[in-house]
Short mmCIF file of all heavy atoms in Angstrom, two decimals:
data_model
loop_
_atom_site.label_atom_id
_atom_site.label_comp_id
_atom_site.label_asym_id
_atom_site.label_seq_id
_atom_site.Cartn_x
_atom_site.Cartn_y
_atom_site.Cartn_z
N MET A 121 0.84 -1.21 -0.03
CA MET A 121 0.09 0.05 -0.04
C MET A 121 0.88 1.26 0.01
O MET A 121 0.60 2.19 -0.74
CB MET A 121 -0.89 -0.07 1.20
CG MET A 121 -1.91 1.00 1.29
SD MET A 121 -3.05 0.99 -0.07
CE MET A 121 -4.00 2.39 0.27
N ILE A 122 1.92 1.25 0.87
CA ILE A 122 2.78 2.40 0.97
C ILE A 122 3.49 2.62 -0.34
O ILE A 122 3.62 3.74 -0.90
CB ILE A 122 3.77 2.35 2.11
CG1 ILE A 122 2.96 2.44 3.41
CG2 ILE A 122 4.81 3.37 2.00
CD1 ILE A 122 3.82 2.27 4.58
N LEU A 123 3.94 1.46 -0.94
CA LEU A 123 4.80 1.65 -2.23
C LEU A 123 3.85 2.15 -3.36
O LEU A 123 4.30 2.98 -4.09
CB LEU A 123 5.25 0.19 -2.70
CG LEU A 123 6.09 0.20 -3.92
CD1 LEU A 123 7.30 1.06 -3.84
CD2 LEU A 123 6.47 -1.25 -4.22
N LYS A 124 2.63 1.77 -3.34
CA LYS A 124 1.67 2.34 -4.40
C LYS A 124 1.50 3.74 -4.28
O LYS A 124 1.48 4.50 -5.21
CB LYS A 124 0.32 1.57 -4.27
CG LYS A 124 -0.69 2.05 -5.36
CD LYS A 124 -2.03 1.27 -5.09
CE LYS A 124 -3.00 1.78 -6.09
NZ LYS A 124 -4.37 1.23 -5.88
N THR A 125 1.30 4.18 -2.97
CA THR A 125 1.14 5.60 -2.68
C THR A 125 2.41 6.49 -3.13
O THR A 125 2.30 7.46 -3.70
CB THR A 125 0.88 5.83 -1.21
OG1 THR A 125 -0.36 5.18 -0.89
CG2 THR A 125 0.65 7.34 -0.90
N VAL A 126 3.56 5.90 -2.76
CA VAL A 126 4.80 6.61 -3.10
C VAL A 126 4.99 6.61 -4.72
O VAL A 126 5.36 7.73 -5.21
CB VAL A 126 6.07 5.89 -2.50
CG1 VAL A 126 7.35 6.32 -3.13
CG2 VAL A 126 6.06 6.01 -1.02
N LEU A 127 4.61 5.64 -5.38
CA LEU A 127 4.74 5.57 -6.84
C LEU A 127 3.72 6.66 -7.47
O LEU A 127 4.09 7.27 -8.38
CB LEU A 127 4.42 4.24 -7.39
CG LEU A 127 5.54 3.29 -7.12
CD1 LEU A 127 5.05 1.82 -7.56
CD2 LEU A 127 6.88 3.57 -7.83
N GLU A 128 2.48 6.74 -6.93
CA GLU A 128 1.61 7.63 -7.37
C GLU A 128 1.98 9.13 -7.14
O GLU A 128 1.89 9.98 -7.96
CB GLU A 128 0.21 7.45 -6.79
CG GLU A 128 -0.48 6.10 -7.26
CD GLU A 128 -1.82 5.81 -6.44
OE1 GLU A 128 -2.05 6.55 -5.51
OE2 GLU A 128 -2.40 4.85 -6.84
N LEU A 129 2.51 9.34 -5.97
CA LEU A 129 3.04 10.67 -5.65
C LEU A 129 4.19 10.96 -6.48
O LEU A 129 4.27 12.16 -6.94
CB LEU A 129 3.49 10.81 -4.14
CG LEU A 129 2.44 10.99 -3.10
CD1 LEU A 129 3.02 10.82 -1.61
CD2 LEU A 129 1.91 12.37 -3.28
N SER A 130 5.06 10.07 -6.82
CA SER A 130 6.18 10.31 -7.68
C SER A 130 5.70 10.77 -9.00
O SER A 130 6.22 11.72 -9.67
CB SER A 130 7.12 9.04 -7.81
OG SER A 130 8.21 9.27 -8.58
N LYS A 131 4.75 10.05 -9.57
CA LYS A 131 4.21 10.40 -10.90
C LYS A 131 3.51 11.83 -10.84
O LYS A 131 3.68 12.61 -11.81
CB LYS A 131 3.17 9.43 -11.35
CG LYS A 131 3.74 8.08 -11.78
CD LYS A 131 2.82 7.04 -12.16
CE LYS A 131 3.33 5.76 -12.47
NZ LYS A 131 2.25 4.70 -12.84
N MET A 132 2.83 12.08 -9.90
CA MET A 132 2.11 13.42 -9.70
C MET A 132 3.27 14.59 -9.61
O MET A 132 3.09 15.58 -10.19
CB MET A 132 1.20 13.40 -8.48
CG MET A 132 -0.05 12.66 -8.63
SD MET A 132 -1.05 12.40 -7.24
CE MET A 132 -1.00 13.80 -6.27
N ILE A 133 4.37 14.25 -8.81
CA ILE A 133 5.34 15.29 -8.63
C ILE A 133 6.02 15.50 -10.00
O ILE A 133 6.18 16.63 -10.40
CB ILE A 133 6.43 14.82 -7.66
CG1 ILE A 133 5.84 14.90 -6.31
CG2 ILE A 133 7.68 15.61 -7.75
CD1 ILE A 133 6.62 14.20 -5.17
N ASP A 134 6.25 14.48 -10.81
CA ASP A 134 6.82 14.63 -12.12
C ASP A 134 5.87 15.41 -12.99
O ASP A 134 6.32 16.34 -13.80
CB ASP A 134 7.14 13.28 -12.76
CG ASP A 134 8.39 12.64 -12.15
OD1 ASP A 134 9.27 13.32 -11.48
OD2 ASP A 134 8.50 11.43 -12.29
N GLY A 135 4.61 15.07 -12.97
CA GLY A 135 3.66 15.86 -13.82
C GLY A 135 3.55 17.30 -13.45
O GLY A 135 3.55 18.16 -14.37
N HIS A 136 3.55 17.63 -12.10
CA HIS A 136 3.50 19.00 -11.76
C HIS A 136 4.77 19.77 -12.03
O HIS A 136 4.73 20.89 -12.48
CB HIS A 136 3.32 19.11 -10.26
CG HIS A 136 1.89 18.71 -9.73
ND1 HIS A 136 0.77 18.92 -10.40
CD2 HIS A 136 1.67 17.92 -8.64
CE1 HIS A 136 -0.23 18.41 -9.67
NE2 HIS A 136 0.27 17.80 -8.68
N ARG A 137 5.93 19.16 -12.06
CA ARG A 137 7.14 19.76 -12.49
C ARG A 137 7.08 20.12 -13.97
O ARG A 137 7.46 21.18 -14.33
CB ARG A 137 8.36 18.80 -12.24
CG ARG A 137 8.77 18.82 -10.81
CD ARG A 137 10.03 17.90 -10.62
NE ARG A 137 10.35 17.87 -9.25
CZ ARG A 137 10.95 16.84 -8.77
NH1 ARG A 137 11.27 15.78 -9.50
NH2 ARG A 137 11.35 16.82 -7.47
N GLN A 138 6.66 19.07 -14.68
CA GLN A 138 6.52 19.37 -16.21
C GLN A 138 5.52 20.54 -16.49
O GLN A 138 5.79 21.36 -17.30
CB GLN A 138 6.16 18.11 -16.96
CG GLN A 138 7.24 16.99 -16.86
CD GLN A 138 6.78 15.77 -17.49
OE1 GLN A 138 5.64 15.59 -18.10
NE2 GLN A 138 7.59 14.70 -17.34
N ASP A 139 4.42 20.48 -15.81
CA ASP A 139 3.36 21.55 -16.06
C ASP A 139 3.90 22.94 -15.62
O ASP A 139 3.76 23.95 -16.36
CB ASP A 139 2.15 21.34 -15.21
CG ASP A 139 1.37 20.09 -15.58
OD1 ASP A 139 1.53 19.72 -16.79
OD2 ASP A 139 0.60 19.55 -14.82
N MET A 140 4.69 23.00 -14.55
CA MET A 140 5.36 24.15 -14.13
C MET A 140 6.30 24.73 -15.04
O MET A 140 6.42 25.88 -15.36
CB MET A 140 6.01 24.04 -12.73
CG MET A 140 5.00 24.26 -11.55
SD MET A 140 5.91 24.25 -10.01
CE MET A 140 7.23 25.60 -10.27
N TYR A 141 7.07 23.87 -15.61
CA TYR A 141 8.14 24.16 -16.51
C TYR A 141 7.51 24.83 -17.83
O TYR A 141 7.94 25.98 -18.24
CB TYR A 141 9.02 23.04 -16.95
CG TYR A 141 9.97 23.32 -18.11
CD1 TYR A 141 11.13 23.97 -17.79
CD2 TYR A 141 9.71 22.96 -19.45
CE1 TYR A 141 12.12 24.30 -18.83
CE2 TYR A 141 10.58 23.32 -20.42
CZ TYR A 141 11.81 23.92 -20.15
OH TYR A 141 12.70 24.25 -21.11
N VAL A 142 6.56 24.17 -18.37
CA VAL A 142 5.80 24.74 -19.55
C VAL A 142 5.22 26.01 -19.22
O VAL A 142 5.37 27.01 -19.99
CB VAL A 142 4.83 23.73 -20.09
CG1 VAL A 142 4.02 24.25 -21.21
CG2 VAL A 142 5.66 22.42 -20.64
N LEU A 143 4.33 26.04 -18.18
CA LEU A 143 3.67 27.34 -17.84
C LEU A 143 4.60 28.49 -17.54
O LEU A 143 4.39 29.61 -17.98
CB LEU A 143 2.82 27.07 -16.56
CG LEU A 143 1.53 26.31 -16.83
CD1 LEU A 143 0.89 26.03 -15.51
CD2 LEU A 143 0.60 27.06 -17.77
N THR A 144 5.79 28.21 -16.82
CA THR A 144 6.74 29.24 -16.54
C THR A 144 7.32 29.76 -17.85
O THR A 144 7.54 30.94 -17.91
CB THR A 144 7.77 28.73 -15.55
OG1 THR A 144 7.17 28.34 -14.38
CG2 THR A 144 8.78 29.75 -15.21
N LYS A 145 7.62 28.88 -18.67
CA LYS A 145 8.32 29.28 -19.94
C LYS A 145 7.22 30.16 -20.75
O LYS A 145 7.63 31.10 -21.40
CB LYS A 145 8.63 27.99 -20.83
CG LYS A 145 9.40 28.28 -22.04
CD LYS A 145 9.81 27.03 -22.70
CE LYS A 145 10.56 27.27 -23.90
NZ LYS A 145 10.98 26.06 -24.57
N ASN A 146 5.96 29.79 -20.69
CA ASN A 146 4.99 30.57 -21.50
C ASN A 146 4.43 31.75 -20.82
O ASN A 146 4.02 32.78 -21.47
CB ASN A 146 3.86 29.63 -21.93
CG ASN A 146 4.26 28.47 -22.91
OD1 ASN A 146 5.24 28.73 -23.70
ND2 ASN A 146 3.71 27.43 -22.82
N LYS A 147 4.20 31.72 -19.41
CA LYS A 147 3.46 32.77 -18.77
C LYS A 147 4.36 33.55 -17.76
O LYS A 147 3.83 34.52 -17.19
CB LYS A 147 2.36 32.20 -18.15
CG LYS A 147 1.31 31.59 -19.18
CD LYS A 147 0.05 31.08 -18.51
CE LYS A 147 -0.92 30.49 -19.64
NZ LYS A 147 -2.04 30.13 -19.15
N GLY A 148 5.47 33.11 -17.42
CA GLY A 148 6.33 33.73 -16.37
C GLY A 148 6.13 33.15 -15.01
O GLY A 148 5.07 32.40 -14.73
N THR A 149 6.89 33.53 -14.12
CA THR A 149 6.98 32.85 -12.79
C THR A 149 5.93 33.40 -11.82
O THR A 149 5.45 32.72 -10.84
CB THR A 149 8.32 33.07 -12.07
OG1 THR A 149 8.58 34.45 -11.95
CG2 THR A 149 9.50 32.44 -12.77
N SER A 150 5.35 34.46 -12.03
CA SER A 150 4.31 35.02 -11.09
C SER A 150 2.86 34.88 -11.61
O SER A 150 1.91 35.33 -11.02
CB SER A 150 4.57 36.50 -10.90
OG SER A 150 4.41 37.29 -12.09
N HIS A 151 2.72 34.12 -12.77
CA HIS A 151 1.34 33.87 -13.21
C HIS A 151 0.60 32.94 -12.21
O HIS A 151 1.15 32.00 -11.65
CB HIS A 151 1.42 33.25 -14.66
CG HIS A 151 0.11 33.17 -15.25
ND1 HIS A 151 -0.87 32.17 -15.04
CD2 HIS A 151 -0.42 33.97 -16.16
CE1 HIS A 151 -1.90 32.33 -15.83
NE2 HIS A 151 -1.69 33.52 -16.52
N PRO A 152 -0.74 33.20 -12.01
CA PRO A 152 -1.48 32.48 -11.04
C PRO A 152 -1.40 30.93 -11.27
O PRO A 152 -1.42 30.14 -10.37
CB PRO A 152 -2.93 33.04 -11.23
CG PRO A 152 -2.75 34.41 -11.68
CD PRO A 152 -1.50 34.32 -12.55
N GLU A 153 -1.50 30.51 -12.53
CA GLU A 153 -1.46 29.11 -12.88
C GLU A 153 -0.11 28.46 -12.43
O GLU A 153 -0.09 27.29 -11.92
CB GLU A 153 -1.56 28.78 -14.33
CG GLU A 153 -3.08 28.96 -14.86
CD GLU A 153 -3.19 28.68 -16.24
OE1 GLU A 153 -3.16 27.42 -16.56
OE2 GLU A 153 -3.42 29.55 -17.08
N VAL A 154 1.08 29.20 -12.65
CA VAL A 154 2.28 28.62 -12.16
C VAL A 154 2.23 28.54 -10.64
O VAL A 154 2.75 27.61 -10.18
CB VAL A 154 3.42 29.59 -12.70
CG1 VAL A 154 4.75 29.19 -12.22
CG2 VAL A 154 3.50 29.65 -14.28
N ILE A 155 1.70 29.55 -10.07
CA ILE A 155 1.73 29.55 -8.51
C ILE A 155 0.97 28.34 -8.09
O ILE A 155 1.36 27.66 -7.12
CB ILE A 155 1.22 30.80 -8.00
CG1 ILE A 155 2.26 31.97 -8.28
CG2 ILE A 155 1.00 30.75 -6.47
CD1 ILE A 155 1.82 33.35 -8.06
N LYS A 156 -0.21 28.08 -8.67
CA LYS A 156 -1.05 26.99 -8.33
C LYS A 156 -0.37 25.57 -8.48
O LYS A 156 -0.34 24.80 -7.53
CB LYS A 156 -2.34 26.98 -9.19
CG LYS A 156 -3.30 25.79 -8.90
CD LYS A 156 -4.60 25.82 -9.70
CE LYS A 156 -4.20 25.44 -11.17
NZ LYS A 156 -5.40 25.38 -11.93
N PHE A 157 0.36 25.44 -9.59
CA PHE A 157 1.04 24.21 -9.79
C PHE A 157 2.21 24.12 -8.90
O PHE A 157 2.58 22.98 -8.36
CB PHE A 157 1.55 24.06 -11.35
CG PHE A 157 0.51 23.44 -12.18
CD1 PHE A 157 -0.30 24.33 -12.95
CD2 PHE A 157 0.13 22.14 -12.15
CE1 PHE A 157 -1.30 23.80 -13.75
CE2 PHE A 157 -0.85 21.62 -12.92
CZ PHE A 157 -1.67 22.45 -13.74
N SER A 158 2.86 25.24 -8.48
CA SER A 158 3.97 25.25 -7.48
C SER A 158 3.36 24.75 -6.15
O SER A 158 4.12 23.94 -5.39
CB SER A 158 4.54 26.64 -7.36
OG SER A 158 5.43 26.67 -6.27
N GLN A 159 2.15 25.17 -5.72
CA GLN A 159 1.62 24.77 -4.44
C GLN A 159 1.25 23.33 -4.58
O GLN A 159 1.48 22.50 -3.56
CB GLN A 159 0.37 25.57 -4.23
CG GLN A 159 0.67 27.02 -3.93
CD GLN A 159 -0.58 27.89 -3.86
OE1 GLN A 159 -1.62 27.54 -4.42
NE2 GLN A 159 -0.47 29.12 -3.29
N TYR A 160 0.72 22.77 -5.72
CA TYR A 160 0.44 21.28 -5.80
C TYR A 160 1.73 20.50 -5.67
O TYR A 160 1.78 19.55 -4.97
CB TYR A 160 -0.14 21.03 -7.12
CG TYR A 160 -1.60 21.43 -7.39
CD1 TYR A 160 -2.03 21.80 -8.62
CD2 TYR A 160 -2.42 21.69 -6.27
CE1 TYR A 160 -3.37 22.33 -8.74
CE2 TYR A 160 -3.80 22.08 -6.44
CZ TYR A 160 -4.26 22.38 -7.69
OH TYR A 160 -5.52 22.84 -7.86
N LEU A 161 2.78 20.95 -6.30
CA LEU A 161 4.03 20.26 -6.22
C LEU A 161 4.52 20.26 -4.79
O LEU A 161 5.07 19.32 -4.31
CB LEU A 161 5.09 21.05 -7.18
CG LEU A 161 6.44 20.51 -7.22
CD1 LEU A 161 6.44 18.96 -7.67
CD2 LEU A 161 7.35 21.30 -8.07
N ASN A 162 4.51 21.36 -4.16
CA ASN A 162 5.02 21.54 -2.69
C ASN A 162 4.15 20.53 -1.87
O ASN A 162 4.79 19.88 -1.03
CB ASN A 162 4.88 22.91 -2.25
CG ASN A 162 5.46 23.16 -0.98
OD1 ASN A 162 6.59 22.70 -0.73
ND2 ASN A 162 4.78 23.81 0.00
N GLU A 163 2.82 20.47 -2.05
CA GLU A 163 2.08 19.60 -1.20
C GLU A 163 2.41 18.09 -1.43
O GLU A 163 2.57 17.35 -0.44
CB GLU A 163 0.54 19.87 -1.56
CG GLU A 163 -0.04 21.03 -1.06
CD GLU A 163 -1.49 21.35 -1.52
OE1 GLU A 163 -1.99 20.45 -2.21
OE2 GLU A 163 -1.90 22.47 -1.34
N ASP A 164 2.71 17.72 -2.73
CA ASP A 164 3.06 16.42 -2.99
C ASP A 164 4.44 16.02 -2.39
O ASP A 164 4.62 14.90 -1.98
CB ASP A 164 3.02 16.16 -4.54
CG ASP A 164 1.60 16.20 -5.11
OD1 ASP A 164 0.70 16.01 -4.39
OD2 ASP A 164 1.55 16.34 -6.36
N ILE A 165 5.32 17.00 -2.52
CA ILE A 165 6.66 16.77 -2.02
C ILE A 165 6.59 16.64 -0.53
O ILE A 165 7.23 15.67 0.09
CB ILE A 165 7.60 17.90 -2.42
CG1 ILE A 165 7.93 17.80 -3.86
CG2 ILE A 165 8.92 17.82 -1.55
CD1 ILE A 165 8.74 18.94 -4.42
N LEU A 166 5.78 17.37 0.28
CA LEU A 166 5.58 17.28 1.65
C LEU A 166 5.01 15.96 2.06
O LEU A 166 5.47 15.29 3.07
CB LEU A 166 4.83 18.34 2.18
CG LEU A 166 5.52 19.78 2.20
CD1 LEU A 166 4.55 20.85 2.64
CD2 LEU A 166 6.68 19.77 3.15
N ARG A 167 3.98 15.54 1.29
CA ARG A 167 3.39 14.25 1.53
C ARG A 167 4.50 13.09 1.36
O ARG A 167 4.50 12.14 2.20
CB ARG A 167 2.23 13.91 0.54
CG ARG A 167 0.96 14.53 1.09
CD ARG A 167 -0.15 14.01 0.27
NE ARG A 167 -0.47 15.14 -0.61
CZ ARG A 167 -1.31 15.15 -1.63
NH1 ARG A 167 -1.71 14.04 -2.07
NH2 ARG A 167 -1.46 16.28 -2.38
N MET A 168 5.34 13.21 0.30
CA MET A 168 6.36 12.20 0.11
C MET A 168 7.35 12.23 1.30
O MET A 168 7.75 11.12 1.79
CB MET A 168 7.11 12.47 -1.24
CG MET A 168 8.23 11.42 -1.43
SD MET A 168 7.66 9.90 -2.18
CE MET A 168 7.35 10.33 -3.84
N GLN A 169 7.75 13.42 1.68
CA GLN A 169 8.71 13.54 2.82
C GLN A 169 8.08 12.83 4.13
O GLN A 169 8.80 12.22 4.90
CB GLN A 169 9.03 14.96 3.12
CG GLN A 169 9.99 15.53 2.01
CD GLN A 169 10.27 16.97 2.18
OE1 GLN A 169 9.43 17.69 2.83
NE2 GLN A 169 11.35 17.50 1.72
N ASN A 170 6.83 13.07 4.39
CA ASN A 170 6.18 12.56 5.54
C ASN A 170 6.14 11.07 5.47
O ASN A 170 6.38 10.33 6.51
CB ASN A 170 4.71 13.04 5.64
CG ASN A 170 4.68 14.54 6.13
OD1 ASN A 170 5.67 15.00 6.79
ND2 ASN A 170 3.68 15.19 5.78
N ILE A 171 5.91 10.47 4.28
CA ILE A 171 5.80 9.00 4.16
C ILE A 171 7.33 8.46 4.41
O ILE A 171 7.44 7.49 5.11
CB ILE A 171 5.36 8.61 2.83
CG1 ILE A 171 3.85 8.83 2.66
CG2 ILE A 171 5.68 7.14 2.50
CD1 ILE A 171 3.36 8.71 1.27
N ILE A 172 8.24 9.13 3.85
CA ILE A 172 9.60 8.63 3.95
C ILE A 172 10.03 8.71 5.47
O ILE A 172 10.70 7.82 6.01
CB ILE A 172 10.59 9.52 3.20
CG1 ILE A 172 10.38 9.13 1.76
CG2 ILE A 172 12.07 9.26 3.59
CD1 ILE A 172 11.01 10.10 0.73
N GLU A 173 9.60 9.80 6.17
CA GLU A 173 9.89 9.91 7.61
C GLU A 173 9.21 8.90 8.40
O GLU A 173 9.77 8.37 9.47
CB GLU A 173 9.51 11.29 8.03
CG GLU A 173 9.78 11.61 9.62
CD GLU A 173 11.30 11.63 9.87
OE1 GLU A 173 11.95 12.02 9.06
OE2 GLU A 173 11.61 11.40 11.04
N GLU A 174 7.98 8.46 8.04
CA GLU A 174 7.37 7.36 8.80
C GLU A 174 8.07 6.01 8.63
O GLU A 174 8.11 5.28 9.52
CB GLU A 174 5.89 7.28 8.33
CG GLU A 174 4.90 8.33 8.73
CD GLU A 174 3.49 8.19 8.13
OE1 GLU A 174 3.16 7.03 7.82
OE2 GLU A 174 2.86 9.17 8.02
N ILE A 175 8.49 5.83 7.41
CA ILE A 175 9.23 4.50 7.15
C ILE A 175 10.62 4.48 7.74
O ILE A 175 10.96 3.51 8.40
CB ILE A 175 9.43 4.33 5.56
CG1 ILE A 175 8.04 4.26 4.96
CG2 ILE A 175 10.37 3.23 5.30
CD1 ILE A 175 8.00 4.25 3.46
N ASN A 176 11.23 5.67 7.77
CA ASN A 176 12.64 5.70 8.21
C ASN A 176 12.83 6.84 9.20
O ASN A 176 13.46 7.95 8.65
CB ASN A 176 13.66 5.74 7.08
CG ASN A 176 15.10 5.54 7.57
OD1 ASN A 176 15.35 5.05 8.68
ND2 ASN A 176 16.03 6.00 6.72
N PRO A 177 12.25 6.88 10.35
CA PRO A 177 12.47 8.02 11.20
C PRO A 177 13.85 8.32 11.66
O PRO A 177 14.70 7.37 11.76
CB PRO A 177 11.56 7.65 12.35
CG PRO A 177 11.45 6.17 12.43
CD PRO A 177 11.63 5.74 11.01
N ARG A 178 14.11 9.50 11.77
CA ARG A 178 15.44 9.92 12.30
C ARG A 178 15.63 9.64 13.78
O ARG A 178 14.68 9.97 14.50
CB ARG A 178 15.71 11.42 12.02
CG ARG A 178 15.81 11.74 10.51
CD ARG A 178 16.10 13.20 10.38
NE ARG A 178 15.95 13.60 8.99
CZ ARG A 178 15.21 14.64 8.58
NH1 ARG A 178 14.58 15.40 9.45
NH2 ARG A 178 14.97 14.92 7.35
N HIS A 179 16.62 8.88 14.07
CA HIS A 179 16.92 8.67 15.50
C HIS A 179 17.83 9.68 16.07
O HIS A 179 18.95 9.87 15.62
CB HIS A 179 17.54 7.20 15.63
CG HIS A 179 16.64 6.13 15.14
ND1 HIS A 179 15.58 5.67 15.86
CD2 HIS A 179 16.68 5.44 14.10
CE1 HIS A 179 15.03 4.76 15.19
NE2 HIS A 179 15.68 4.56 14.06
N GLN A 180 17.31 10.45 17.15
CA GLN A 180 18.14 11.43 17.71
C GLN A 180 18.76 10.76 18.96
O GLN A 180 18.06 10.16 19.75
CB GLN A 180 17.32 12.64 18.12
CG GLN A 180 16.73 13.35 16.92
CD GLN A 180 15.88 14.57 17.26
OE1 GLN A 180 15.72 14.77 18.43
NE2 GLN A 180 15.42 15.29 16.33
N THR A 181 20.04 11.03 19.11
CA THR A 181 20.67 10.51 20.32
C THR A 181 21.01 11.70 21.30
O THR A 181 21.25 12.79 20.84
CB THR A 181 22.05 9.83 20.01
OG1 THR A 181 22.82 10.82 19.23
CG2 THR A 181 21.79 8.70 19.00
N LEU A 182 20.82 11.39 22.49
CA LEU A 182 21.11 12.37 23.47
C LEU A 182 22.58 12.29 24.00
O LEU A 182 23.05 11.20 24.25
CB LEU A 182 20.21 12.30 24.74
CG LEU A 182 18.68 12.37 24.43
CD1 LEU A 182 17.91 12.09 25.75
CD2 LEU A 182 18.44 13.82 23.96
N ILE A 183 23.26 13.39 24.00
CA ILE A 183 24.67 13.32 24.41
C ILE A 183 24.80 13.92 25.76
O ILE A 183 24.24 14.88 26.10
CB ILE A 183 25.55 14.06 23.38
CG1 ILE A 183 25.45 13.49 21.98
CG2 ILE A 183 27.01 14.21 23.79
CD1 ILE A 183 26.21 14.15 20.94
#
């Protein structure tokens, strides 16, 4: 189940990156559509990071 979610997120991240590249090239970095895709990309990346953290949490040692 986790692997399927990670694969789907990876595909979505790649799609959002491609969309952002094309939109930025055509409309500039401050266009509302570019900002929207940037937000989608950020949300997907954060979800991916959360899944990775759940699978492999950082172990903090006390000194």
Side-chain angles (χ1 to χ4, degrees):
M121 183 67 179
I122 292 174
L123 180 59
K124 181 181 176 184
T125 302
V126 168
L127 290 173
E128 289 173 356
L129 275 172
S130 179
K131 288 179 184 178
M132 288 172 34
I133 289 168
D134 287 340
H136 292 321
R137 282 184 182 149
Q138 291 174 10
D139 292 341
M140 274 188 52
Y141 174 78
V142 171
L143 285 172
T144 301
K145 189 175 178 182
N146 293 329
K147 298 183 180 189
T149 57
S150 62
H151 192 275
E153 286 182 72
V154 174
I155 293 169
K156 179 176 76 173
F157 278 100
S158 174
Q159 291 169 342
Y160 290 152
L161 178 59
N162 189 47
E163 290 172 7
D164 291 342
I165 290 171
L166 288 174
R167 274 189 258 164
M168 180 77 81
Q169 288 174 334
N170 289 333
I171 291 170
I172 291 169
E173 182 65 25
E174 286 179 26
I175 293 170
N176 188 20
R178 295 183 190 130
H179 296 286
Q180 296 181 358
T181 58
L182 299 175
I183 298 176

